[in-house]
Amino acid sequence: MSVTLRASGFRTSVGAAWAEFPVKIGLLGTAIIAIGSLTPAYLPQASPIWPVLRSLNLAGEFGRVAGTVLTVSGIFLLVDAWFRLRHEIYARLNPLVIIGLWSLPFLVSPPILSHDAYSYDAQGWMIHNGQNPYDGGPTLVPGLFTDYAPWQWRYTPAPYGPLGLQIAHLVVDLSGGHPWLAALLIRIPALIGVTCIVHFLPKIARRIGADEHQVIWFACLNPLLVIDYVGGAHNDAWMMGLVVVSLWLALKPGWWPLAAVAIGVGASIKQPAILGAVFLPLLAHPIPSWRDLKRSMAAIGKAVVSLGIAAGVFVVISIACGLGFGWLDALGVPGTIPSASPSYGLGALLQLIIAPGGTSWLNGTMRVVLVLGVLLMLYWILRYGLKEPWKALSWSWLTVALSASALHSWYLLWGGLILPLSTTKRKVPWPAIAIVIFMLGYAALNMGNRNGVWAVLAAAVCMVAWLSHIAVYHRLWPGLRQNWVSHRYDRQPDTPPAAESSGPNPKELP
């Protein structure tokens, strides 16, 4: 009986979500992105789809431009759906169902907007063949997996944690040694991570008194979460899934040591997770002021113990995985290629102006910005760590992402997912929304750049068109400056809308 009731409840949730126009628009967007991924705009040269494209005369310039236009158009539709869902009248919908519907096309598509997933598989293939990925790049084990990996990572060691590499190893074994199948299966851990994020974040919001609607809208339904974590299958999804579970555990009385264990496991997938361990004992019981010396010292002691537990778990897993700590020598690998990182952009500009052709100013600038970022992170910890630990955690992760030598949109989700939990105000800070839009636009232009000048122009035209639509139709700037969520509705399921108010229906608001 209980199984039947759960199945009936699930069907009801799916039906309720599907009845809403924005949900359909979002699914159309991800479907178009998935179609765009089946063009030269995405596919590695070793892909079995290339012969089909050549037979249809889609392997040249037209195919690249068409793939770019389709993808940018799909991104626009997904962002448009996201904005339409910002009103609280949609809060009755299950966010996990919405994400599930939007993710369906990505389950059968190649990795989206990034080839990193192919690198994970290539590193897993190295372990399968007895080669440590910390000793060098996938070219140490030539073959199809290396041919799928992006060229810039074929000669570099892996910067990821040992458990992340072993998960990729497991995926490669499950694929039977087929790179294309491995690229699809690598989404399984990403989907598990996203499920944990979308399931537990609203629970955390209710527990700490944060605005659940803002958490659902900005974190759970964020286009970056759908595109990067599900579509791109980045291992950040695996990491953040464990981090969010650990944050939920830390709110249970006396459970913060277990939460620290979960953080240690997450850090063994990708190292930035370790920062969360510092705040776990404080999340449920913030300290109002440093003046309460006894409680402050006790909290600091617990924070040190929590960090020690997480670090100890990380070390034990590293030893058990048998790969060692070679990632320490590869931490600079992500910063070796251009990205949206402020330090890279500033360093490249100074290098071009002062000493064209060299790298000293570029490298020096990135080091200086990294040091400044560490100092700013320490400031957030000291300023807000005891009294407002959620804010300190979110801002610290965002600082780490923005000051690193490489910046990608999926890095911003480290602190971005926690951002709505860090304030009691009923709105997300407007720069956060603007940064989401900027990073999606950057991704579109970057993809066009990989596909030639005509694809760049096509991406730019499409991006200007959808930014204009968002700015005008959704009243972007006034919306950013004001409260983005309409007034609360306490409607009962069987209450007709006409009986509530003679005012406008929020569903009809742009």
Side-chain angles (χ1 to χ4, degrees), residues 378-391:
L378 293 175
Y379 172 76
W380 299 139
I381 294 174
L382 294 174
R383 175 71 184 274
Y384 298 111
L386 289 179
K387 187 168 74 170
E388 300 178 81
W390 293 99
K391 177 183 289 187

Side-chain angles (χ1 to χ4, degrees), residues 343 364-376 400 403-405:
S343 64
T365 301
M366 289 194 293
R367 293 191 187 99
V368 170
V369 172
L370 181 60
V371 171
L372 293 176
V374 171
L375 294 176
L376 182 59
V400 170
S403 61
S405 58

